[in-house]
Amino acid sequence: MRRIILAGNWKMHKTQAEALEFLQGFCHAVQETPEDRELVLCVPFTALGVMSKNLHGTRIRLGSQNIHWEESGAFTGEISAPMLLEMGVTYAIVGHSERRQYFGETDDTVNKRLLAAQKHGMTPILCVGESKEQRDAGQTEAHIYSQLEKDLANVDEKNLVVAYEPIWAIGTGDTCDAKEANRVIGLIRAQLSTPDVPIQYGGSVKPDNIDEIMAQPEIDGALVGGASLKPDAFARIANYQ
Ligand code: PGA
């Protein structure tokens, strides 16, 4: 059975104090959230420690925003699976378009990061999606198929989440039409050999569009940036109707 996963991606937002303040409001607001919805917060590395302590015993899972393929070594600015595991991290976002665009992440490094997360028993959230130029040029499908083929080489689909995040919809307020997101996610599913990989939609998910997004048959959850920073907004997303 396909799981429902609602994950917040805080990106480079929130100090430890701000993270704790968020939790106070959020934990309370998701007390009634149906148990079959998994809730994940992917927070900055500096907030993992305090979040880990405070999420202990709650249903909320902790995620990182990246993971390196080596366990240790001369990789300034990177973080490894054992370091994340020690913090209770169970999910890792890999290949987010901001990493690909601004930090030179390639399909090859994305693949290595996915394999490293799985090797250590963590569940990677692989982000794929097209730019505005690619969409306008009719290259959406070809681009995503190429990403999937390269990124998923030797990856175990039984321990994987995929997020379809059209780049033009991220942080722009310009959400992809729910039916179009459903169509692309259906195409992604058809490329996988395991039918029940959870596939999320991401890109300007908000309290006022989550109900329509989650009503789509192919969509198993959301990866939420901006709207996951506010406890009320992210709780409303978790409590979609
Ligand atoms: P957004 O970001 O919800 O702010 O558009 C989504 C993401 O980048 O994962």
Side-chain angles (χ1 to χ4, degrees):
M1 226 192 52
R2 278 154 48 191
R3 284 178 299 144
I4 296 169
I5 304 172
L6 300 146
N9 172 13
W10 282 2
K11 310 192 181 186
M12 197 172 71
H13 292 286
K14 293 195 191 295
T15 61
Q16 296 186 75
E18 288 163 348
L20 281 180
E21 196 182 323
F22 172 95
L23 274 192
Q24 279 172 6
F26 184 67
C27 289
H28 183 72
V30 293
Q31 268 168 3
E32 309 281 304
T33 304
E35 286 297 325
D36 61 352
R37 301 181 187 177
E38 195 147 324
L39 306 179
V40 184
L41 290 171
C42 301
V43 308
F45 300 139
T46 47
L48 287 173
V50 76
M51 290 293 276
S52 173
K53 283 197 193 98
N54 284 274
L55 289 178
H56 193 74
T58 75
R59 59 178 292 177
I60 302 164
R61 304 295 182 85
L62 199 51
S64 66
Q65 298 172 15
N66 206 351
I67 179 171
H68 195 264
W69 52 90
E70 294 291 345
E71 292 179 15
S72 63
F75 300 103
T76 304
E78 290 283 332
I79 197 154
S80 73
M83 296 169 185
L84 295 170
L85 282 175
E86 191 185 38
M87 298 283 177
V89 171
T90 52
Y91 285 91
I93 297 175
V94 175
H96 190 280
S97 61
E98 286 153 15
R99 300 286 330 159
R100 296 181 193 255
Q101 250 182 308
Y102 308 138
F103 302 101
E105 197 80 64
T106 64
D107 287 314
D108 180 49
T109 56
V110 167
N111 176 251
K112 287 177 168 172
R113 293 179 197 275
L114 291 171
L115 292 170
Q118 291 191 332
K119 181 176 165 213
H120 289 88
M122 296 167 61
T123 305
I125 303 176
L126 165 66
C127 302
V128 295
E130 81 287 359
S131 65
K132 172 101 177 56
E133 293 69 36
Q134 287 166 328
R135 174 158 283 263
D136 291 347
Q139 293 165 355
T140 298
E141 292 81 359
H143 174 67
I144 293 173
Y145 293 163
S146 158
Q147 284 185 317
L148 291 172
E149 191 189 339
K150 294 176 189 151
D151 298 354
L152 292 178
N154 300 314
V155 166
D156 177 8
E157 291 183 3
K158 293 200 183 62
N159 185 25
L160 174 73
V161 177
V162 177
Y164 168 51
E165 296 211 309
I167 298 171
W168 48 271
I170 295 177
T172 56
D174 190 10
T175 324
C176 180
D177 178 73
K179 292 205 166 48
E180 172 60 8
N182 186 67
R183 183 187 75 85
V184 177
I185 288 176
L187 294 175
I188 292 173
R189 195 177 303 289
Q191 294 295 306
L192 303 174
S193 29
T194 311
D196 51 6
V197 173
I199 309 181
Q200 303 173 309
Y201 167 76
S204 297
V205 174
K206 301 266 153 37
D208 63 10
N209 58 28
I210 187 68
D211 298 344
E212 195 191 357
I213 290 167
M214 291 308 295
Q216 306 301 317
E218 294 288 352
I219 304 182
D220 303 319
L223 183 56
V224 186
S228 74
L229 295 170
K230 298 189 199 92
D232 291 354
F234 194 44
R236 171 62 184 87
I237 288 169
N239 295 326
Y240 71 83
Q241 327 257 301

